[in-house]
Amino acid sequence: MRRLPNLVLIGFMATGKSTIGRRCASALAYPFRDTDSWIEEREGRSVKEIFAAEGEQRFRAIEEEAVEALSAEAPIVLATGGGVPLNPKNVSRLRVNGVVVLLSGTPESILLRAGDLDSRPLIASATDPLHHISDLLSARDSAYRLAADYTVDSSDLSPEQTSRLVLEGYRARAGLTPFPAGSRFD
Ligand code: S3P
């Protein structure tokens, strides 16, 4: 029997990867998985604590293990941490059996959705968070786009609209039939 591919969500912090991922997982009846949760469960501490105690480099090494382990599961919906696509090994693993969708957003929409910045080590200490988000986004943009099969800009969309576009892209690429007209995703 044909093995269905994973639906992998990549993109910057606070673009809705977990929210949209959960909705898509429920629509597809796939398990929902998340690289940050995998890391926190295995390490028994938060991402913020790992950054503080051991630094970003160690976090990235554990993150690579998370991607390797989770890529072996299929079919799942996988939400990935914002730095995952910067490592080419992660991208190759995710693409072997996954359809990769980039959730993009403007710096303003990201800052609005980011909530408590304290839990986000890469932007927590910035004096001008909007400027810092803009800079990080520009630095990452080409890696994000190269890793993705398609992109959905979630800035001005509701979770329902974003999920619909993500799922339509996935179904077309996975060779599944389109949703019937009027299908709901809430
Ligand atoms: C990071 C994003 C975070 C988390 C870590 C590093 C990044 O995940 O993995 O703080 O480099 O962009 P989310 O994108 O889920 O917030």
Side-chain angles (χ1 to χ4, degrees):
M1 206 174 77
R2 191 170 63 98
R3 199 181 186 207
L4 286 163
N6 291 336
L7 169 56
V8 180
L9 293 129
I10 63 166
F12 204 75
M13 289 168 254
T15 46
K17 288 166 294 181
S18 299
T19 307
I20 303 305
R22 282 181 206 285
R23 296 175 78 103
C24 292
S26 133
L28 291 163
Y30 291 177
F32 173 72
R33 310 282 270 130
D34 181 304
T35 54
D36 284 341
S37 304
W38 187 96
I39 292 167
E40 292 186 340
E41 268 162 42
R42 207 204 55 182
E43 293 290 304
R45 53 195 171 150
S46 68
V47 167
K48 184 184 164 188
E49 285 165 339
I50 302 169
F51 264 80
E54 299 188 59
E56 180 172 355
Q57 215 184 340
R58 175 68 191 137
F59 173 78
R60 297 300 176 199
I62 308 170
E63 184 171 63
E64 196 180 300
E65 288 181 54
V67 169
E68 186 173 16
L70 291 167
S71 303
E73 299 181 17
I76 57 169
V77 173
L78 178 61
T80 60
V84 162
L86 308 179
N87 176 344
K89 268 196 205 156
N90 290 340
V91 176
S92 321
R93 284 181 179 132
L94 293 170
R95 292 185 61 89
V96 167
N97 64 343
V99 172
V100 180
V101 55
L102 168 63
L103 286 189
S104 67
T106 60
E108 290 78 8
S109 71
I110 288 168
L111 185 60
L112 260 179
R113 286 182 187 163
D116 176 18
L117 295 186
D118 198 42
S119 62
R120 302 183 183 274
L122 284 183
I123 42 180
S125 58
T127 42
D128 179 348
L130 186 62
H131 195 247
H132 189 57
I133 290 169
S134 279
D135 283 352
L136 264 182
L137 261 183
S138 312
R140 292 177 170 192
D141 192 61
S142 65
Y144 282 171
R145 287 182 195 278
L146 272 174
D149 291 301
Y150 63 108
T151 301
V152 174
D153 184 340
S154 63
S155 309
D156 298 321
L157 300 180
S158 68
E160 198 208 342
Q161 291 168 319
T162 308
S163 307
R164 177 184 290 270
L165 292 175
V166 168
L167 285 166
E168 280 172 1
Y170 172 78
R171 292 184 76 90
R173 287 165 181 82
L176 298 170
T177 50
F179 286 113
S183 304
R184 295 192 58 85
F185 303 95
D186 51 5

